[in-house]
Amino acid sequence: MNFDEIITLDKADPLAKKRLEFDLPANTIYLDGNSLGALPKSVKSRVAEVVSQQWGNDLIKSWNSHNWIDLPIKVGEKIAPLIGAAQGQVICCDSISVNLFKLLCSALKLNSERTVVLSTKDNFPTDLYMVQGLSDLLGPDLCQLQMVEEQDIQKNLTESVAVLLLTQVNFRTGKLLDMAKLTQLAHEKGILVIWDLAHSAGALPVELDTCEADFAVGCGYKYLNGGPGSPAFLYVAKRHQEAVKQPLCGWMGHAKPFAFDANYQPSPNINQFQCGTPSVISMSVLDAALDVWQDVDMLHIRNKSEALADVFINLVKVHHCLHELILCSPDDVKLRGSQLAFSHDAAFAICQALIEKSVIADFRAPNILRFGFTPLYTSFEDIWLAVTTLVSIVESEQYKEQRFNVALKVT
Amino acid sequence: MNFDEIITLDKADPLAKKRLEFDLPANTIYLDGNSLGALPKSVKSRVAEVVSQQWGNDLIKSWNSHNWIDLPIKVGEKIAPLIGAAQGQVICCDSISVNLFKLLCSALKLNSERTVVLSTKDNFPTDLYMVQGLSDLLGPDLCQLQMVEEQDIQKNLTESVAVLLLTQVNFRTGKLLDMAKLTQLAHEKGILVIWDLAHSAGALPVELDTCEADFAVGCGYKYLNGGPGSPAFLYVAKRHQEAVKQPLCGWMGHAKPFAFDANYQPSPNINQFQCGTPSVISMSVLDAALDVWQDVDMLHIRNKSEALADVFINLVKVHHCLHELILCSPDDVKLRGSQLAFSHDAAFAICQALIEKSVIADFRAPNILRFGFTPLYTSFEDIWLAVTTLVSIVESEQYKEQRFNVALKVT
């Protein structure tokens, strides 16, 4: 594969023009959109308008005149088609962690004869922590976390399990779980399933309704490009909405928040899953960012994501010096999300050397080098340049000469 | 009192120049800063910088290079002196509602022999709802909400009460509770106290440490001018930090969040009270907004707040047509926060007529007209013009001729 072939791939890419809708830094190859998505151009004018006009000029009236009050629903409905959810099931609010707490409590209550929350040892830590916190609060008689290896999920789907909590795409390896199959197997045992879509919403077609998922949470700041610490979202299948009652019942989840009644009455719909006052500025940023998706076909996203990873792997294979990089992601493209992970003893140093040469990848302890592909704005040329830079670093062994400070990185 | 005297008051006001640090809409009298604070001018450049430079250009590196990771602590430390808290006790995160849940669980656990959370019937509803949600989750054997009238708090401080949950300034009437006295009385009975500072932080001097408060929550979007849905804050007295463990233990509260360990270990300090990824854009807005306070003496704030309300009441008194407005706030200025509430059967219609004439007050069901005084940017001339407009509306009985749609309003 040579550079001309790469350019041909970019020319044939139906998503190539979407890159123009983003403000990308000059002379930088950004392969970390799975950690923090890039800035959609439309955000800058929107945030200026929300701050200067809506807040500064119209002040409190904007709750009505600019419809701030409906933002959580409006943004939720924009996310819904990206995750295969029909209307009335998705709302934008709080963080993934807080939303998981709401859904864990809801699911345990629906399945109150059982106590076990089953998850994987390698799930993203906050998901596990939120179960541990709930278990501490309720006691082990009401909630216990059971962690198993990914390959052992199926055999642990027993009738003591109340809730199966899985992240669809593993944050380290990029391994994609089979949502349809696992949801069905869980349901056969009377288990409710919560899917964490942090690394899948916007990265690949997600089919919550088709898979008959029960609950899901997801992230605004990765593939949805909602900016650092963007509000998260949650999904509750319509069939559960009447029966569930979540405990973080702040005033925005009340059936009539402006009646200022002293007794809580949950909203009869997805609004119940709101808690406090919505984060209007951040949520408006996400709202603007989501407009990028209006004319995007998720199958194009998936096809390009697969092709980008395929090119990356092929280029790694042809460079002998890169053979020390061991692919930790599944070989089969169908079993991967939109990222590749390689292990290397010097992964941290290599990652820092790449960043110094403006190829932004990221490192995950203990020894993982992670490259994220965001089909809206990653080009095939980016992949070529990234691997070329990687080759120059590994070949010259530059990374061995340098000392790097341990850097924080937020997934 | 005549207009010349009003102008003299403005000329003598040591805070008058602070108004220049805000972008206020032209030809508008804004008396609703107790619901949504006005826009500090410094916010516009900060938000543009955070979006374009920090996010757009520096992307994921900004967690280190722009120190996003420390924003919750940095913003907490900026709020601390405004609420009488020494360092290491305040953190900015989530919403008031979510933070109340963390603190309610923490306090109940510290006082685990008892089960009652005592509050007032007229507390802001979300505070009551969060207790109701926790009570539903844990069951009445572990948590029960007892609601009493404000004047009956003291006699209900019994040894079955675990937690006293009070809002320092009542959202409707503006009545100011005696934090020092009530905290002391509660402690004498072994009760822990959670103070909600939504209507007091930035409105008057708050002395959490001096009063030996246990816990507090507060709001970023009212007197702190952090913008709509700004992140909230919480306070945990140093003496409790080692013993407490809060259940919403997301990864940002972990002692080593970037070790990605599967088992939760709480941070040994106030960081434990973080949950998910911080809302960087919104929190940066609040961070910029807080700079307004750098050279402000809270005693000047209180003096001006009292004087503004005093002038308002005096002007109301001299106009016979306003005698139908019944003051629901305490007569004694020392017993009030920084707002005045009047009841009137046509409060809603009068409020709408005021807004139509660009005097922004607000209405609280069932019949309360509420005027907030924000000493940083409210002038004595504003008060004069507001009452003059109120007189013209009530005298002409214009409000009776109009029909207004019920408008949502967010406190």
Side-chain angles (χ1 to χ4, degrees):
Chain A
M1 181 162 263
N2 59 39
F3 189 66
D4 285 348
E5 289 171 281
I6 293 288
I7 296 305
T8 305
L9 286 171
D10 275 330
K11 281 190 179 151
D13 171 18
L15 293 172
K17 66 184 185 304
K18 297 307 284 185
R19 185 176 169 108
L20 302 173
E21 296 181 33
F22 290 84
D23 257 336
L24 295 166
N27 305 316
T28 299
I29 311 296
Y30 192 60
L31 300 181
D32 209 3
N34 54 335
S35 194
L36 173 64
L39 170 63
K41 285 180 178 163
S42 63
V43 164
K44 288 196 282 191
S45 56
R46 176 69 176 273
V47 81
E49 202 258 333
V50 170
V51 169
S52 298
Q53 184 61 37
Q54 298 186 10
W55 173 17
N57 199 71
D58 301 343
L59 284 158
I60 192 71
K61 291 183 288 183
S62 294
W63 285 102
N64 297 319
S65 61
H66 297 291
N67 214 4
W68 287 349
I69 199 71
D70 289 331
L71 262 179
I73 288 289
K74 180 187 172 199
V75 175
E77 294 299 6
K78 275 191 183 175
I79 295 168
L82 304 180
I83 54 175
Q87 289 221 322
Q89 302 178 108
V90 183
I91 193 159
C92 180
C93 50
D94 298 310
S95 63
I96 283 196
S97 304
V98 168
N99 289 339
L100 272 174
F101 191 86
K102 300 173 190 168
L103 297 185
L104 284 164
C105 293
S106 301
L108 281 168
K109 202 155 188 172
L110 285 180
N111 227 349
S112 60
E113 302 294 304
R114 307 178 181 194
T115 59
V116 173
V117 178
L118 181 69
S119 194
T120 56
K121 288 181 185 170
D122 198 29
N123 199 347
F124 187 68
T126 214
D127 297 36
L128 303 174
Y129 299 163
M130 294 311 293
V131 185
Q132 291 166 23
L134 181 59
S135 180
D136 270 4
L137 181 67
L138 299 181
D141 291 348
L142 293 174
C143 174
Q144 299 153 53
L145 173 62
Q146 183 189 356
M147 292 186 282
V148 298
E149 300 293 345
E150 251 173 28
Q151 65 269 25
D152 296 333
I153 297 168
Q154 194 172 331
K155 71 176 178 213
N156 282 285
L157 294 173
T158 67
E159 280 165 14
S160 64
V161 177
V163 183
L164 176 62
L165 170 61
L166 295 175
T167 296
Q168 192 182 10
V169 174
N170 182 285
F171 79 106
R172 278 199 188 87
T173 65
K175 183 171 179 193
L176 172 65
L177 297 181
D178 186 336
M179 179 183 282
K181 181 180 158 197
L182 287 164
T183 303
Q184 193 198 327
L185 289 171
H187 285 178
E188 283 168 9
K189 301 285 183 178
I191 300 165
L192 293 165
V193 191
I194 303 176
W195 286 100
D196 181 340
L197 309 177
H199 291 269
S200 43
L204 47 92
V206 178
E207 296 295 345
L208 289 174
D209 284 350
T210 304
C211 295
E212 298 188 348
D214 301 291
F215 303 101
V217 294
C219 179
Y221 55 78
K222 295 177 186 289
Y223 295 89
L224 302 186
N225 312 303
S230 175
F233 64 86
L234 64 77
Y235 161 94
V236 178
K238 205 92 179 179
R239 67 185 179 281
H240 293 311
Q241 289 182 15
E242 216 171 313
V244 292
K245 193 153 180 242
Q246 66 95 3
L248 301 182
C249 49
W251 70 311
M252 285 293 155
H254 194 280
K256 292 179 179 173
F258 300 96
F260 298 104
D261 185 39
N263 293 303
Y264 186 73
Q265 284 296 331
S267 162
N269 54 45
I270 192 74
N271 255 320
Q272 182 205 143
F273 286 84
Q274 284 197 70
C275 185
T277 305
S279 181
V280 171
I281 297 175
S282 295
M283 212 173 285
S284 298
V285 166
L286 177 56
D287 186 41
L290 287 166
D291 287 341
V292 169
W293 295 94
Q294 267 173 344
D295 55 354
V296 172
D297 181 336
M298 289 308 291
L299 288 175
H300 288 161
I301 292 285
R302 182 62 177 164
N303 291 340
K304 184 173 174 189
S305 160
E306 292 180 359
L308 289 165
D310 194 43
V311 169
F312 197 104
I313 289 175
N314 285 334
L315 290 174
V316 165
K317 278 187 184 155
V318 296
H319 289 96
H320 185 74
C321 70
L322 299 184
H323 287 187
E324 288 168 28
L325 289 167
I326 310 299
L327 184 67
C328 318
S329 306
D331 277 328
D332 182 351
V333 65
K334 300 296 173 201
L335 301 182
R336 288 196 304 252
S338 198
Q339 65 186 64
L340 288 175
F342 296 89
S343 67
H344 190 289
D345 288 346
F348 181 74
I350 293 171
C351 184
Q352 293 297 304
L354 280 168
I355 291 169
E356 240 170 55
K357 290 180 182 286
S358 297
V359 175
I360 316 298
D362 82 22
F363 166 77
R364 281 292 169 270
N367 65 345
I368 302 284
L369 196 55
R370 199 174 73 156
F371 300 94
F373 309 119
T374 41
L376 288 178
Y377 54 83
T378 305
S379 67
F380 291 92
E381 189 179 353
D382 284 341
I383 303 297
W384 173 274
L385 294 170
V387 178
T388 305
T389 307
L390 185 60
V391 167
S392 77
I393 289 166
V394 174
E395 212 160 41
S396 66
E397 299 193 339
Q398 287 167 22
Y399 63 92
K400 293 190 181 172
E401 293 153 29
Q402 296 182 40
R403 291 178 179 277
F404 301 99
N405 294 321
V406 173
L408 295 173
K409 275 308 191 57
V410 175
T411 183
Chain B
M1 179 161 263
N2 59 38
F3 189 66
D4 285 348
E5 290 171 278
I6 294 288
I7 296 304
T8 305
L9 286 170
D10 274 331
K11 281 189 178 152
D13 171 17
L15 293 171
K17 65 184 185 306
K18 297 306 286 185
R19 185 177 169 108
L20 302 173
E21 296 180 35
F22 290 84
D23 256 336
L24 295 166
N27 306 315
T28 298
I29 311 298
Y30 191 60
L31 299 180
D32 210 3
N34 54 335
S35 194
L36 174 64
L39 170 64
K41 284 180 179 163
S42 63
V43 164
K44 288 195 281 191
S45 55
R46 176 69 176 274
V47 81
E49 202 258 332
V50 170
V51 168
S52 298
Q53 184 62 36
Q54 298 185 11
W55 172 16
N57 199 71
D58 301 344
L59 285 158
I60 192 71
K61 291 183 288 185
S62 293
W63 284 103
N64 298 319
S65 61
H66 297 291
N67 214 6
W68 287 349
I69 198 72
D70 288 332
L71 262 179
I73 288 288
K74 181 187 172 199
V75 174
E77 293 300 6
K78 276 193 185 174
I79 294 168
L82 304 179
I83 55 175
Q87 289 220 323
Q89 302 178 108
V90 183
I91 193 160
C92 180
C93 50
D94 298 310
S95 63
I96 283 196
S97 304
V98 168
N99 288 338
L100 272 174
F101 190 86
K102 300 173 190 168
L103 296 184
L104 284 164
C105 293
S106 300
L108 281 167
K109 202 155 187 173
L110 286 179
N111 227 349
S112 61
E113 302 293 303
R114 307 179 181 194
T115 59
V116 173
V117 178
L118 181 68
S119 193
T120 57
K121 287 182 185 169
D122 198 27
N123 199 348
F124 187 68
T126 213
D127 297 36
L128 304 174
Y129 300 163
M130 294 312 292
V131 185
Q132 290 167 22
L134 181 59
S135 180
D136 271 4
L137 181 66
L138 299 181
D141 291 349
L142 293 174
C143 173
Q144 298 152 56
L145 173 62
Q146 182 188 357
M147 291 185 282
V148 299
E149 300 294 344
E150 251 174 27
Q151 65 269 25
D152 297 333
I153 297 170
Q154 194 172 331
K155 71 176 179 213
N156 282 286
L157 294 173
T158 67
E159 281 165 13
S160 65
V161 177
V163 183
L164 177 62
L165 170 62
L166 294 175
T167 297
Q168 192 182 11
V169 175
N170 183 284
F171 80 107
R172 277 198 189 89
T173 64
K175 183 170 178 193
L176 173 65
L177 297 180
D178 186 336
M179 180 184 281
K181 182 181 157 197
L182 287 164
T183 304
Q184 193 197 327
L185 289 170
H187 285 178
E188 283 167 9
K189 300 285 183 178
I191 300 166
L192 293 165
V193 192
I194 303 176
W195 286 100
D196 180 340
L197 309 177
H199 291 268
S200 43
L204 46 91
V206 177
E207 296 296 345
L208 289 174
D209 284 352
T210 304
C211 296
E212 299 188 344
D214 301 292
F215 303 100
V217 295
C219 178
Y221 55 78
K222 295 176 186 290
Y223 295 90
L224 302 186
N225 312 303
S230 175
F233 64 86
L234 63 77
Y235 161 95
V236 178
K238 205 90 179 179
R239 67 183 179 283
H240 293 313
Q241 288 182 17
E242 217 171 311
V244 291
K245 193 153 180 241
Q246 66 96 3
L248 300 182
C249 48
W251 71 311
M252 285 291 155
H254 194 282
K256 291 180 180 171
F258 300 96
F260 298 105
D261 184 40
N263 293 305
Y264 185 73
Q265 283 296 331
S267 162
N269 54 46
I270 192 73
N271 255 320
Q272 182 205 142
F273 286 84
Q274 284 198 69
C275 185
T277 305
S279 180
V280 171
I281 296 175
S282 295
M283 212 175 283
S284 299
V285 167
L286 177 57
D287 185 42
L290 287 166
D291 287 340
V292 169
W293 295 94
Q294 268 174 343
D295 55 355
V296 172
D297 181 336
M298 289 308 291
L299 287 175
H300 288 161
I301 292 285
R302 182 62 177 165
N303 291 341
K304 183 173 173 189
S305 160
E306 291 180 0
L308 290 165
D310 195 41
V311 169
F312 196 104
I313 289 175
N314 285 334
L315 290 173
V316 165
K317 277 186 185 156
V318 296
H319 289 96
H320 185 74
C321 70
L322 299 184
H323 289 189
E324 287 169 29
L325 289 166
I326 310 299
L327 184 66
C328 318
S329 306
D331 277 328
D332 182 351
V333 65
K334 301 296 174 201
L335 302 181
R336 289 195 304 252
S338 198
Q339 65 186 64
L340 288 175
F342 296 89
S343 67
H344 190 290
D345 288 347
F348 181 75
I350 293 171
C351 184
Q352 293 297 304
L354 280 168
I355 292 169
E356 238 170 58
K357 290 179 184 287
S358 298
V359 176
I360 315 298
D362 84 21
F363 167 78
R364 281 290 168 271
N367 65 344
I368 303 282
L369 196 54
R370 199 175 72 157
F371 301 94
F373 309 118
T374 42
L376 289 178
Y377 54 83
T378 304
S379 67
F380 291 92
E381 190 180 353
D382 283 342
I383 304 296
W384 173 274
L385 293 171
V387 179
T388 306
T389 307
L390 185 60
V391 168
S392 77
I393 288 166
V394 174
E395 212 159 40
S396 65
E397 300 193 337
Q398 288 167 20
Y399 64 90
K400 293 189 180 172
E401 294 153 28
Q402 296 182 40
R403 291 177 180 277
F404 301 98
N405 294 321
V406 173
L408 295 174
K409 274 305 191 58
V410 175
T411 183

